[in-house]
DNA sequence: ATGGTGGCTGGGCCA
């Protein structure tokens, strides 16, 4: 471990190939011990393992090509990697979840399906996927373990997590079944640590590229680090780095970061 | 404005 804290972050980079310079720059500046990455949009064969190892990070990637793709990089150890859901839950045809143990903490990086529209088959896939995520989590850990799930959940848990709730009526990300699936997962023994430390509404992690949404403050909070109680009680800060959404060729998501004090 | 932008690609699909 480094110092008396461990920094854990999660970031949907929207193509690791298009974003590699920004990602490595962000890592150098912020020095995370563990980073969960989503939407790498690449095959395992082209994942930049050596770029990260040159920076002192081990990495594990579950990719499929042009879409999806999740990774965990760590400088505090990376063991017991599980690609996809555990087999007892059922394998997903898409590359959306990878799990590992990093410095004694079980870490899961997830890219929850978007859902597209309430009447779309993909919406049912999303609800089923959330149910499987809970089963997967309960299979690999106990609620008393140190575990964190970092990722893009494509769900805004409350109306405080969207810029204007009236604009989302009948849309995905805010529907009652999705919010129920999210709270069901949390009921297993996880807490949204950013919200615990920041009760203020309208703090976002994602802004649409279109319509100047970022500059107008029109976003959603859909990226989370969900921690078990034993981990959450040692968290000293939680932030969303909205600066990472600025400038040239940003991802449409900002990283979420938590700082955990040593036991 | 049933639009818009960005990243796959190499014409649409996906977000």
């Amino acid at each position: 471990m480094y110092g008396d804290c461990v920094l854990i972050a999660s970031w949907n980079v929207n193509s690791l190939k298009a974003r590699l310079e920004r990602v490595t720059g962000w890592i150098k500046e912020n020095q995370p011990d563990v980073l969960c990455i989503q939407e790498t949009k690449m095959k395992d064969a082209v994942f930049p393992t050596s770029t990260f190892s040159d920076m002192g990070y081990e990495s594990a990637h579950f990719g499929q090509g042009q879409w999806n793709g999740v990774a965990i990089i760590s400088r505090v150890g990376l063991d017991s990697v599980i690609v996809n859901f555990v087999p007892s839950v059922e394998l997903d045809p898409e590359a959306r979840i990878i799990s590992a143990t990093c410095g004694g903490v079980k870490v899961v990086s997830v890219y929850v399906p978007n859902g597209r529209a309430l009447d779309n088959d993909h919406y049912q896939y999303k609800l089923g996927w959330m149910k499987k995520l809970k089963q997967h989590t309960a299979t690999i850990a106990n609620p008393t373990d140190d575990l964190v799930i970092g990722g893009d959940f494509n769900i805004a848990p409350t109306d405080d997590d969207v810029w204007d709730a009236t604009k989302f009526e009948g849309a995905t990300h805010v529907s009652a079944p999705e919010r129920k699936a999210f709270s069901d997962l949390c009921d297993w023994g996880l807490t949204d640590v950013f919200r615990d430390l920041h009760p203020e509404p309208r703090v976002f992690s994602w802004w649409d590229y279109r319509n100047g949404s970022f500059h107008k403050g029109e976003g959603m909070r859909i990226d989370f680090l969900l921690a078990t109680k034993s981990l959450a009680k040692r968290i000293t800060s939680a932030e969303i780095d909205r600066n990472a959404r600025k400038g040239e060729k940003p991802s449409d998501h900002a990283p979420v970061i938590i700082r955990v004090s040593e036991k």
Side-chain angles (χ1 to χ4, degrees):
Chain A
M1 301 288 182
Y2 292 72
D4 54 1
C5 285
V6 178
L7 212 65
I8 303 173
S10 179
W11 194 6
N12 179 325
V13 300
N14 185 20
S15 170
L16 187 54
K17 180 166 179 270
R19 217 71 59 209
L20 189 57
E21 263 189 63
R22 287 199 61 134
V23 171
T24 55
W26 189 87
I27 290 169
K28 282 171 188 159
E29 192 172 330
N30 292 275
Q31 296 289 313
D33 295 295
V34 178
L35 175 61
C36 298
I37 303 172
Q38 299 86 37
E39 277 209 89
T40 61
K41 295 186 173 179
M42 55 175 51
K43 293 182 160 76
D44 290 335
V46 296
F47 185 82
T49 307
S50 60
T51 301
F52 292 128
S53 62
D54 288 349
M55 299 172 72
Y57 292 84
E58 296 176 82
S59 58
H61 179 240
F62 178 26
Q64 71 177 70
Q66 80 186 104
W67 291 313
N68 310 313
V70 285
I72 299 170
I73 68 168
S74 169
R75 63 179 188 187
V76 291
L78 185 59
D79 307 294
S80 309
V81 175
I82 303 168
V83 160
N84 210 325
F85 290 123
V86 286
S88 61
V89 168
E90 187 185 2
L91 296 185
D92 192 279
E94 300 188 346
R96 296 180 175 276
I97 179 167
I98 189 166
S99 313
T101 301
C102 305
V105 177
K106 291 178 179 176
V107 178
V108 186
S109 178
V110 301
Y111 176 46
V112 178
N114 175 286
R116 297 178 192 166
L118 300 187
D119 59 357
N120 194 301
D121 288 346
H122 204 255
Y123 178 73
Q124 295 305 323
Y125 169 55
K126 180 182 195 174
L127 294 178
W129 203 96
M130 283 297 292
K131 200 170 176 180
K132 288 179 192 174
L133 175 58
K134 182 177 180 178
Q135 294 166 350
H136 173 88
T137 306
T139 303
I140 66 165
N142 294 309
T144 51
D145 292 339
D146 287 347
L147 174 139
V148 61
I149 306 179
D152 172 4
F153 285 75
N154 275 314
I155 297 171
T158 76
D159 285 353
D160 284 348
D161 301 306
V162 299
W163 62 278
D164 183 349
T166 66
K167 298 285 199 294
F168 290 90
E169 283 167 21
T172 58
H173 296 61
V174 300
S175 73
E178 289 165 85
R179 287 176 169 174
K180 173 74 159 49
F182 185 82
S183 63
D184 280 351
L185 173 65
C186 292
D187 286 346
W188 173 80
L190 295 166
T191 184
D192 170 2
V193 287
F194 180 87
R195 180 53 82 210
D196 287 351
L197 293 174
H198 299 276
E200 66 273 22
R202 291 179 296 282
V203 177
F204 307 128
S205 66
W206 172 86
W207 300 260
D208 201 312
Y209 284 122
R210 298 167 286 191
N211 298 323
S213 299
F214 180 68
H215 298 286
K216 289 193 274 186
E218 298 178 352
M220 307 178 84
R221 194 173 69 94
I222 54 175
D223 300 87
F224 307 102
L225 286 161
L226 305 181
T228 50
K229 191 173 289 180
S230 62
L231 194 66
K233 70 185 181 192
R234 290 188 281 125
I235 289 169
T236 57
S237 72
E239 305 297 333
I240 297 173
D241 182 12
R242 67 189 300 285
N243 283 329
R245 182 64 174 77
K246 300 175 182 174
E248 289 280 303
K249 275 174 74 82
S251 170
D252 44 355
H253 295 254
V256 187
I257 310 143
I258 57 173
R259 193 175 289 278
V260 187
S261 65
E262 296 278 10
K263 279 178 186 169

